[in-house]
Amino acid sequence: MKARVEELRRLIRHHNRLYYVLDQPEISDAEYDGFFDELVRLEQEHPELATPDSPTQRVGAPPLEKFGTLGHRVPMLSLGKTNTEEGFLDFHRRIRELSQVPDEQVAYVVEPKFDGLAVELIYENGVLVQGSTRGDGYTGEQVTENLRTIKTIPLRLLETDLGIPTLMEVRGEVIINKSDFQRLNRRRAEAGESPFANPRNAAAGSVRQLDSKITASRPLSMFAYSVGVVEGRQYKTHYQIMEDLKILGFRVNKYTQLCHRAEKAIEYYGQMLQRRDRLDYEMDGIVIKVNDLGLQERLGELQRSPRWAIAWKFPAQQETTVVRDIWVNVGRTGALTPVAILEPVRVGGVTISRATLHNEDEVRRKDVRVGDTVIVQRAGEVIPEVVAVVKSKRKGRPRKFVMPTHCPICGAPAVRVAGEVATRCTGLSCPAQLKENVFHFAGKWAMDMDGLGYKLIEQLVDRGMITDPSDLYYLTKEDLLKLERMGDKLAQNVLEAVQGSKRPSLPRLILALGIRNVGGHLATVLAREFGTVERLREASCEELMAVREIGPVVADSIRAFFNNDKNLEVLNKLRWAGVEFPVYQKAAGAQPLASQTFVLTGGLSTLTREQAKALIEKAGGRVASSVSANTDVVVVGENPGSKLDKARALGIKTMGEEEFKKLVEV
Ligand code: IVH
């Protein structure tokens, strides 16, 4: 029993790391849940086997009255900042002068500057015993129970060749991903709670909850970026620390890089600035740290920040401007969205002239009126939004915004269903909804019909040439030539883009259907879990909700979509037009076995040892000749040797030939 409990913990830790830290899950959510449920059951039946570092212990403890405080053995300093390249070059010059090393010899580690909440975790003999916030840098709040609920924080360090450090203080930033933040705020708005202003506030607010069950319900994550006191481990460079943190089970940012020259750090800044909008977490700049720990020590500290590191900030993502007008947009699902028309302003390097106000409640809560000075922000690819009104600048008494009672596009009544925040147009053939739907269908992340812009779709809808997205495939060149500003060449390009989109991947096809609440990520999850559109269509609410990321709201929207005859007709029309409905394929070149160590024992009947080895390596894994605590899987063929006994003794996963072949997909 004890052995099974330990094996389950090992498996869960291993798969947690693959899923949350490396982002390369290897087993289905259902299999994972199977392990987890079994462990919960065994621990309940045998309370003597429960330990505080078990992966089941992330659910939250009873609420506290108030937080205790905890002193940091090594102060958690802040960083000197610059906004310019000159500022960084000044820093570099100072380092060279103080260290008296020639240019070539100052190596830096460059990494993103995360915008979240700094925390410290203390591990004694590999077990997480305490966690705290940065606080004033010297004393923080003790939030151990809350940090324990975060899946990217190991409750116990992974065993390594170097053993386990006796004491290790790990520092990092707790964040919420942009997409999770949007979802969290949507849920809060639906529940009538006030939304968080930005992911950083959401992360900080979630960590500083007296009831850790609330923290457990928030999608928090942590990037590790430095250490405090460490005993039982020696490091020479910051880069070594980061590598070791990875091995010990922490999430270390993949853009952490070693730069041997200052110019490389400047290049890195430019690359990260470009990448900023595409990443799902917020960065407000980069951090440049001297790599050599000896040199760091010689350089020492100023008042509140070290001389050996600097934050080079990105341009602000928030600015103030004036609201010229408030319009109402009608979206794909018929939702009426108030939009602020702005005095154009540059935010984070891009000019914006409109920003979403989300819905009626949000306009009321923020009390945005025409003529107001407002703070607007851009966060990634998310549409710019109005964050708040600068009330002190309001002139006179502008009128309050009222939501129209009718759709501004088709004139049908607009209603707000009880319990929902959105006001929706009830017009069954509302052209605004259709345009948005078709635009979504043809979009880059869906069927990817390059060149099918909004203007063109607008004309097609307004002239009645399409009444649903599948009609795009039935357009002829003659049809297109009837449109404004349409020449032979352009018409040909449009036709090719449409016809060229007939072999989508399954996630793209599912996304393109425009099922309410199903965005890119869920489309991929659904594709992976159900394999075909047909299977998804047949799935019951219960089957849908058995998928970890799918709750009742999404399950209902999927059922509602497939219960609608009009949608089924569109699916048929797509098929008739020759659109392929594929079976889910894992991405080519994926490395599902990355960083896993395999050992082969016994003979396989359909593969030579060399072939098996090549397959493992192709999938990113490694093959070792003997079984040790570092082995992840032992593949067992006929007449296995003592390796199998050793694997069993160590509780290491074993698999037969068939399972192995499935894993490497032959
Ligand atoms: S290193 C002395 N690395 O920035 C070294 N800090 O202004 C200080 N931060 O409170 C920490 N990303 O919350 C470091 N990659 C990174 C960081 C980072 C964000 C935050 C951290 C700290 C603040 C310092």
Side-chain angles (χ1 to χ4, degrees):
M1 192 56 57
K2 189 153 182 263
R4 179 62 182 159
V5 166
E6 274 163 17
E7 184 190 4
L8 287 168
R9 286 179 188 160
R10 213 185 62 79
L11 282 168
I12 293 170
R13 275 185 200 118
H14 172 74
H15 289 293
N16 264 348
R17 176 160 181 272
L18 289 172
Y19 187 92
Y20 292 105
V21 179
L22 301 176
D23 207 11
Q24 283 168 334
E26 277 169 14
I27 55 173
S28 71
D29 293 356
E31 276 174 282
Y32 177 89
D33 292 344
F35 292 146
F36 200 89
D37 294 345
E38 185 184 347
L39 181 58
V40 170
R41 187 173 52 76
L42 289 178
E43 286 179 350
Q44 270 166 2
E45 286 169 10
H46 304 272
E48 72 283 2
L49 295 180
T51 57
D53 63 346
S54 168
T56 55
Q57 302 302 302
R58 291 193 192 266
V59 282
L64 301 172
E65 292 283 322
K66 75 194 241 311
F67 295 121
T69 55
L70 200 63
H72 302 299
R73 274 178 265 216
V74 181
M76 292 181 76
L77 299 175
S78 75
L79 287 164
K81 293 181 182 59
T82 178
N83 292 313
T84 60
E85 186 174 320
E86 290 72 53
F88 163 64
L89 287 171
D90 278 347
F91 162 84
H92 177 56
R93 191 164 26 79
R94 275 197 308 274
I95 302 273
R96 271 194 298 160
E97 283 166 9
L98 291 168
S99 62
Q100 297 175 334
V101 287
D103 186 12
E104 296 83 77
Q105 286 171 31
V106 189
Y108 295 108
V109 173
V110 286
E111 42 195 79
K113 182 170 190 314
F114 309 104
D115 203 8
L117 179 75
V119 298
E120 177 170 75
L121 306 161
I122 305 181
Y123 291 84
E124 285 174 7
N125 297 314
V127 177
L128 174 63
V129 291
Q130 247 162 358
S132 55
T133 61
R134 171 170 176 249
D136 63 4
Y138 300 94
T139 311
E141 283 166 322
Q142 206 219 320
V143 286
T144 318
E145 288 309 322
N146 297 359
L147 296 178
R148 291 170 63 84
T149 67
I150 301 177
K151 307 233 178 27
T152 38
I153 294 183
L155 297 180
R156 167 194 203 111
L157 303 179
L158 296 178
E159 297 270 350
T160 71
D161 293 346
L162 297 172
I164 289 281
T166 42
L167 173 65
M168 179 136 191
E169 296 177 346
V170 176
R171 292 164 177 194
E173 196 89 349
V174 174
I175 57 155
I176 285 188
N177 278 349
K178 292 177 195 168
S179 52
D180 288 328
F181 166 76
Q182 298 290 336
R183 220 169 297 145
L184 177 64
N185 262 359
R186 223 176 299 134
R187 250 193 295 151
R188 285 178 74 83
E190 279 165 16
E193 295 163 335
S194 59
F196 290 109
N198 51 48
R200 195 182 66 77
N201 285 6
S206 302
V207 170
R208 300 184 63 261
Q209 285 288 334
L210 289 168
D211 184 353
S212 53
K213 294 215 168 52
I214 299 182
T215 313
S217 74
R218 303 276 168 81
L220 296 164
S221 167
M222 186 191 87
F223 280 117
Y225 55 59
S226 75
V227 293
V229 177
V230 179
E231 287 167 11
R233 247 351 186 237
Q234 296 279 321
Y235 302 113
K236 285 206 169 57
T237 64
H238 178 64
Y239 199 73
Q240 270 178 359
I241 297 177
M242 304 309 271
E243 288 292 297
D244 202 33
L245 287 175
K246 254 193 268 179
I247 295 171
L248 290 166
F250 291 92
R251 183 180 187 207
V252 169
N253 189 266
K254 69 172 178 189
Y255 298 109
T256 303
Q257 261 180 33
L258 196 55
C259 290
H260 288 281
R261 301 187 61 86
E263 297 85 82
K264 286 281 170 216
I266 297 172
E267 246 172 57
Y268 179 82
Y269 177 87
Q271 288 162 355
M272 293 309 279
L273 186 56
Q274 290 239 313
R275 211 167 257 149
R276 177 190 201 182
D277 283 357
R278 273 178 280 134
L279 292 180
D280 199 21
Y281 44 86
E282 294 215 318
M283 301 182 274
D284 53 352
I286 64 167
V287 183
I288 302 160
K289 302 175 181 173
V290 167
N291 188 33
D292 186 301
L293 298 183
L295 180 52
Q296 280 192 4
E297 194 155 321
R298 274 190 283 137
L299 289 164
E301 278 133 29
L302 295 161
Q303 291 276 44
R304 301 272 300 151
S305 55
R307 278 205 193 82
W308 46 262
I310 192 165
W312 183 358
K313 305 269 293 220
F314 292 147
Q317 299 272 66
Q318 284 196 346
E319 289 299 337
T320 56
T321 186
V322 174
V323 177
R324 279 185 182 163
D325 201 355
I326 299 178
W327 291 359
V328 174
N329 238 357
V330 183
R332 184 157 63 84
T333 58
L336 269 54
T337 307
V339 179
I341 307 301
L342 308 167
E343 245 1 292
V345 60
R346 277 184 83 74
V347 186
V350 175
T351 303
I352 64 172
S353 51
R354 47 180 66 201
T356 179
L357 291 163
H358 299 291
N359 55 53
E360 188 179 10
D361 290 357
E362 276 297 290
V363 188
R364 193 168 308 143
R365 195 177 63 78
K366 292 176 184 157
D367 189 22
V368 184
R369 307 187 195 185
V370 174
D372 276 346
T373 298
V374 289
I375 300 170
V376 288
Q377 83 175 3
R378 276 182 66 230
E381 293 197 73
V382 181
I383 312 157
E385 63 174 356
V386 171
V387 181
V389 174
V390 185
K391 285 272 167 63
S392 58
K393 293 209 175 165
R394 179 171 284 172
K395 292 190 200 82
R397 285 161 139 229
R399 261 196 302 137
K400 279 195 176 168
F401 168 80
V402 264
M403 201 66 172
T405 52
H406 288 78
C407 172
I409 306 298
C410 72
V415 296
R416 184 169 166 180
V417 180
E420 273 205 34
V421 277
T423 304
R424 288 183 204 278
C425 159
T426 53
L428 280 180
S429 50
C430 173
Q433 289 179 49
L434 177 57
K435 285 173 197 173
E436 294 287 338
N437 233 322
V438 176
F439 187 61
H440 167 84
F441 180 86
K444 189 164 170 188
W445 309 110
M447 301 303 272
D448 192 18
M449 300 177 182
D450 196 19
L452 222 77
Y454 200 79
K455 288 253 152 60
L456 184 68
I457 291 170
E458 242 179 345
Q459 287 195 60
L460 291 168
V461 171
D462 289 342
R463 288 168 181 252
M465 289 160 78
I466 54 177
T467 57
D468 69 57
S470 72
D471 286 337
L472 288 173
Y473 291 101
Y474 295 88
L475 289 171
T476 62
K477 199 178 222 177
E478 292 70 59
D479 292 334
L480 290 173
L481 286 171
K482 289 183 202 137
L483 303 178
E484 286 160 29
R485 278 193 292 262
M486 178 62 71
D488 204 72
K489 177 103 182 58
L490 187 52
Q492 189 58 36
N493 288 348
V494 169
L495 281 183
E496 277 168 20
V498 171
Q499 297 305 322
S501 73
K502 284 182 171 172
R503 300 185 62 195
S505 68
L506 187 58
R508 280 176 178 275
L509 181 60
I510 293 176
L511 176 66
L513 298 180
I515 304 170
R516 200 191 284 177
N517 299 314
V518 175
H521 174 67
L522 279 190
T524 308
V525 171
L526 291 170
R528 193 180 65 214
E529 293 296 325
F530 294 94
T532 61
V533 170
E534 214 35 44
R535 277 283 302 121
L536 179 62
R537 185 171 80 95
E538 287 161 1
S540 65
C541 264
E542 290 70 42
E543 281 177 88
L544 289 163
M545 281 187 342
V547 178
R548 190 178 336 164
E549 290 179 72
I550 294 180
V553 175
V554 177
D556 273 351
S557 2
I558 297 171
R559 286 304 333 136
F561 180 90
F562 288 109
N563 282 338
N564 180 330
D565 287 341
K566 174 91 182 84
N567 291 335
L568 298 184
E569 188 192 318
V570 173
L571 290 180
N572 281 334
K573 279 171 67 186
L574 287 172
R575 283 203 181 86
W576 292 328
V579 174
E580 280 182 25
F581 280 48
V583 175
Y584 181 61
Q585 300 277 345
K586 278 201 186 152
Q591 299 238 302
L593 306 184
S595 74
Q596 283 207 63
T597 304
F598 282 70
V599 170
L600 304 166
T601 178
L604 301 177
S605 57
T606 54
L607 292 169
T608 66
R609 202 162 265 243
E610 274 58 49
Q611 284 169 329
K613 184 161 183 258
L615 286 167
I616 292 170
E617 285 169 356
K618 185 165 152 242
R622 210 169 67 82
V623 179
S625 54
S626 63
V627 176
S628 75
N630 292 325
T631 311
D632 293 291
V633 180
V634 175
V635 181
V636 185
E638 279 183 39
N639 302 322
S642 63
K643 289 179 194 168
L644 175 58
D645 302 332
K646 185 147 185 216
R648 287 204 175 124
L650 290 172
I652 288 164
K653 182 178 168 110
T654 57
M655 63 174 67
E657 182 163 347
E658 282 314 304
E659 196 182 345
F660 169 70
K661 277 164 62 179
K662 241 186 257 155
L663 187 69
V664 291
E665 294 185 301
V666 280

